[in-house]
Amino acid sequence: MSNEPSGIVEEFLALKADTDAEVLAMQCGDFYEFFADDAELVADELDLKVSQKSSHGSSYPMAGVPLAELTPYLKALVERGYRVAVADQYETDGGDLRRRVERVVSPGTVVDPDDADARWLCAVEFGGGQYGVAFADVTTGRFHAAAVDDAAAVRAELHRFAPVEVLPGPGVRGGGTAANGDDDLIAAVRDGTDARLTLHDAEAFAPGRARHRLREQFGAETLDAVGLDADAAVGAAGAVLHYVDETGAGVLASMTRLGTLDPDGRVSLDATTQRNLELVETMQGGRDGTLLDTVDHTETAAGSRLLREWITRPVRDRDELARRHDAVEAFAAAALARDRLLDALDGTADLERLAARASSGSAGPRDLAAVRDALGRLPALASAIDGTELADSPVADVLARPDQSAARRLHDELDAALVDEPPGSVGDGGVIARGYDDELDELVAEYEEASEWLDTLADRVKRQYGLSHVTVDRNTTDGYYVQVGRSVADDVPEHFREIKTLKNSKRFVTDDLEERERTVLRLEESRGDRERELVDDLRGRVADDAELLQDVGRTLAELDALASLAEHAAGNDWVRPSFTDGDVLEIDAGRHPVVERTTDFVPNDLRLSRDRGFLVVTGPNMSGKSTYMRQCALISLLAQAGSFVPADAATLPLVDGIYTRVGALDELAQGRSTFMVEMQELSNILHSATADSLVILDEVGRGTATYDGISIAWAATEYLHNEVRAKTLFATHYHELTSLAEHLPRVANVHVAVDGDPDSSRADGEESGDGDDVTFLRRVREGPTDRSYGVHVADLAGVPGPVVDRAGEVLDRLRAEKAIEARGAGGAGDADHADGEGGGTRTRQAVFDLSAGEFVDADADGDAAAGDAATATTETTGTAERTDAAETTAATAPEPAAAESTDGGDGSVVDPEAAAVLDALRDTDVAETPPVELMAKVQEWQEQLEESGE
Ligand code: ADP
């Protein structure tokens, strides 16, 4: 650059070069200034005015905000994802003014955000074959770290915590020098969260240093006590601490406890499932209409945060669940006491947050008063439950948990120290109560005496000198003065010295007045200093009790969350679930917790048992299959969050995980291949689910051609049924799959009835296929449905009549073909029919024999093989083994494309590609092949056949 900056701009640019923050705010007297590019940036983002600062012949853009107004601008920049360094001014020993960066504010290190949501700062590291994740909320001091096995688990945690800032460690950064770059994970952070990615100092992740840091922060024994020893987890946790420390937020002291993520005690919920079930965010991204939104009647921000945690982190601990259910039950039965308790909670401050603010030094007099008031609620809460049903419930235990005498002590100290309603700032008096501090009291007494003298001076002057129109006042330029009306100004005594003449009056001072003025100013300063000292002490005192505040805060939050669940249960006729060991799951008249709020909901039962662990759910589109399955998952989840559930009765197994694979709309929107996503999700479920898991599959295999779709669905079913043995609900539009029940002992069929079903009240026999109205009954019944009602739905949706009619015809025709396949009837007529429209050498897919659950072997049965061959092989061919089939089809078959074909040895001609596919098919053991592999094979075969058919 030819324009060398100099002076203040030079200092700015030098500081900027030294920080990795994107923006620098530098104090210059009473302003924070931004220069050069930063000025342009903040002007753009925050609508600040840019002026020009010339310095040594160059001109630089400059923007500034007054000192006191920096905070809102900082927050706005951080909300937009910037990291902002703040350089404050200081005086050197030589008396020069210099600046240095005192703190860096980033999304994860804003101590006093405007909203009440947790602001998780996260670090992820990979090492030793494991991932380590750590989450810290600087606004409350909460801290969690753990090692997890795979990237999917990391994604699940990211979804659960929804961090605002993520620090990827060197092991996951990818590219560069990192050996284990995990671009997928980084992409998941980028696409799947709103978090800002910050590349923090790689050395902060080094396990040795990190371990040392953690020991210093949480105590030497803690790491062992919570079992945090994996290098990746230690590295991530240490890096978070290092980052918080480096950015100068000053809140480390409020991070008093190292929590784990306790994956063993929790219900596993992957990111997809959390999204599919719309727990805290809808598919569209809002909060309205989520499960949390529905059950959240909390009075406090901390209560709402806790409820969110319960819902995204259901537990498996029977005792803990019994405790929560007991409390909800007690609260639900005690409406009056519940109201009183909620009243007492209403408006209580967020103690966890205040603890963090006290630690960071940013808590002001009003914050301290809020701590006092919140602690002061404890007795009111106790009396709200005393003598009520709640007294014998876990509610009383929750309330008794924090150290009551410590809480009382701190409350009493704050109460003695602070006035009832202190002003927002310290130093102008009025914060500390009388009688708390002798020194301050004395200063105040002297000050008041001096003020009294000044207040009464005007009267004395009037009386003594017989003057009217006299006032005593003070301003910044003149200090204290006596102001006398013009008409009597000449009558003032000798010792009055005139200092100013105004239009209608004159101002005077006297030696006495000046002396009093000095006294008052001195006293004001001493009083302010003393008040600040006392407030600092109180703040320190509160910070020392950060852990107590976190305990009390947690207690208030828990009471709030429990009462909120009870409120919802009582208002919506929810019941307490009970848990069984074993496989029994019985829900009587279950409802969908969210949909029931806005619809005249039709309740449905669900029964699973040892011999009936897998339900195939069929029914037309829009009949309510998804809703039914989701409601079952949500009931199970609510139960293990500690809530009551929307049903008349529910007996549930304790599940270790809930897995869902539902519709693919959102993935489509993200531009990812639907089928690939579907298969990844399926693969994850097949790997992760256990016999104690609940699996919800909505339409597997839809993203690909019918036959591989069916085969994948089939194979996945077998695997879930035979190997995983998970409790499964599987909705499918392949009604072919309903025959699974005949082959697999634990599979049963249910269907969602529509009017027109043979077993519905208005059974009217056959469906006409021409778009008759369908009335959805939303009633789940035993047994399969044998129809797909897509054409009806198309009609309902307003698809033009001719299209619906034509679709009906096509459907009838397809059914006719299927009937032929099912009978296994061969013959020239059928074969003719089958290829009638395709003509020529059109390749047809092999047929999946639905009753056998495998691809047909033509040798098995001559008669069946004839039919199979007509559809199972290229029309013009038969394989060597398929002699009889070839004979029946050959009659109507067009000439083969000779050049690409070989003689099958029996007069028929086989395309070598097709033959290879058929061989591979025959050699494949469907029962033994993992579904995903099977999927890949089918796709490969299909491509080969397509190529050969071209
Ligand atoms: P499917 O999965 O069969 O296509 P959905 O579960 O998406 O059908 O349900 C279709 C519509 O029917 C949704 O708008 C849903 O709110 C409503 N619905 C589903 N089940 C019920 C029920 N039991 N009672 C009332 N409305 C229901």
Side-chain angles (χ1 to χ4, degrees), residues 11-24 37-38 101:
E11 190 175 357
F12 181 93
L13 294 176
L15 284 173
K16 183 68 197 297
D18 245 14
T19 164
D20 58 357
E22 285 104 10
V23 186
L24 171 67
D37 292 350
D38 290 22
V101 172

Side-chain angles (χ1 to χ4, degrees), residues 590 595 599-604 619-628 631 698 731 752 776-779:
V595 179
T599 322
D600 196 6
F601 200 84
V602 180
N604 277 302
N621 284 332
M622 292 300 289
S623 61
K625 299 184 297 294
S626 292
T627 307
Y628 177 62
Q631 94 191 21
D698 200 349
V752 191
F776 294 119
L777 302 177
R778 316 279 186 224
R779 196 60 84 195

Side-chain angles (χ1 to χ4, degrees), residues 506-845:
K506 287 188 173 181
R507 288 180 182 170
F508 302 89
V509 291
T510 66
D511 292 345
D512 253 8
L513 182 58
E514 282 178 334
E515 196 193 321
R516 293 289 171 168
E517 177 175 9
R518 280 192 294 276
T519 310
V520 164
L521 290 179
R522 179 178 51 77
L523 287 171
E524 273 177 355
E525 200 179 323
S526 317
R527 186 193 60 179
D529 287 348
R530 183 62 190 155
E531 189 174 85
R532 262 186 290 271
E533 267 170 40
L534 292 171
V535 169
D536 284 349
D537 286 353
L538 285 174
R539 190 188 295 117
R541 174 74 184 80
V542 170
D544 287 345
D545 259 344
E547 213 164 332
L548 171 72
L549 295 197
Q550 285 162 355
D551 281 347
V552 177
R554 182 76 181 190
T555 284
L556 301 184
E558 208 168 319
L559 292 174
D560 198 7
L562 290 166
S564 167
L565 288 176
E567 179 95 2
H568 195 82
N572 294 277
D573 294 324
W574 287 17
V575 296
R576 176 179 182 150
S578 59
F579 293 112
T580 55
D581 293 318
D583 298 318
V584 173
L585 184 156
E586 289 186 350
I587 297 172
D588 291 351
R591 282 117 48 202
H592 189 293
V594 179
V595 179
E596 74 161 337
R597 305 279 294 160
T598 51
T599 322
D600 196 6
F601 200 84
V602 180
N604 277 302
D605 299 342
L606 173 66
R607 306 244 171 280
L608 295 177
S609 62
R610 236 182 108 73
D611 317 323
R612 175 186 159 104
F614 192 114
L615 294 190
V616 175
V617 184
T618 42
N621 284 332
M622 292 300 289
S623 61
K625 299 184 297 294
S626 292
T627 307
Y628 177 62
M629 297 197 304
R630 282 159 189 252
Q631 94 191 21
C632 296
L634 289 171
I635 284 173
S636 175
L637 182 142
L638 279 167
Q640 291 188 241
S643 169
F644 278 22
V645 297
D648 285 356
T651 303
L652 306 166
L654 268 181
V655 301
D656 65 359
I658 299 176
Y659 298 89
T660 64
R661 133 115 280 284
V662 185
L665 281 176
D666 51 332
E667 276 85 12
L668 268 185
Q670 285 176 23
R672 292 152 79 195
S673 145
T674 317
F675 185 60
M676 197 57 204
V677 169
E678 186 181 326
M679 287 303 113
Q680 280 167 351
E681 289 179 7
L682 182 63
S683 159
N684 176 43
I685 293 174
L686 296 177
H687 280 121
S688 315
T690 75
D692 291 326
S693 306
L694 180 62
V695 174
I696 303 289
L697 299 174
D698 200 349
E699 303 286 17
V700 166
R702 204 167 196 175
T704 184
T706 309
Y707 288 121
D708 36 336
I710 294 188
S711 47
I712 292 159
W714 189 283
T717 301
E718 281 186 344
Y719 190 77
L720 278 167
H721 178 277
N722 296 333
E723 307 296 329
V724 178
R725 302 182 66 83
K727 295 153 191 60
T728 307
L729 300 183
F730 183 178
T732 177
H733 71 298
Y734 296 127
H735 41 93
E736 290 89 342
L737 291 182
T738 55
S739 64
L740 275 164
E742 291 155 29
H743 301 276
L744 301 173
R746 291 167 52 252
V747 172
N749 285 304
V750 297
H751 68 283
V752 191
V754 292
D755 210 356
D757 269 2
D759 58 350
S760 76
S761 50
R762 278 177 37 205
D764 59 6
E766 280 305 288
E767 176 213 7
S768 66
D770 63 1
D772 284 353
D773 281 358
V774 172
T775 308
F776 294 119
L777 302 177
R778 316 279 186 224
R779 196 60 84 195
V780 176
R781 295 210 161 94
E782 290 296 308
T785 172
D786 64 346
R787 286 169 300 194
S788 181
Y789 291 73
V791 176
H792 289 277
V793 174
D795 190 25
L796 286 179
V799 172
V803 177
V804 173
D805 291 347
R806 173 65 185 145
E809 278 169 39
V810 172
L811 186 63
D812 282 346
R813 182 145 180 196
L814 290 174
R815 284 220 180 93
E817 282 183 32
K818 187 154 288 172
I820 293 156
E821 286 170 23
R823 277 200 310 276
D830 295 327
D832 198 14
H833 174 91
D835 81 346
E837 284 172 345
T841 55
R842 189 167 64 94
T843 305
R844 297 206 41 177
Q845 282 189 317

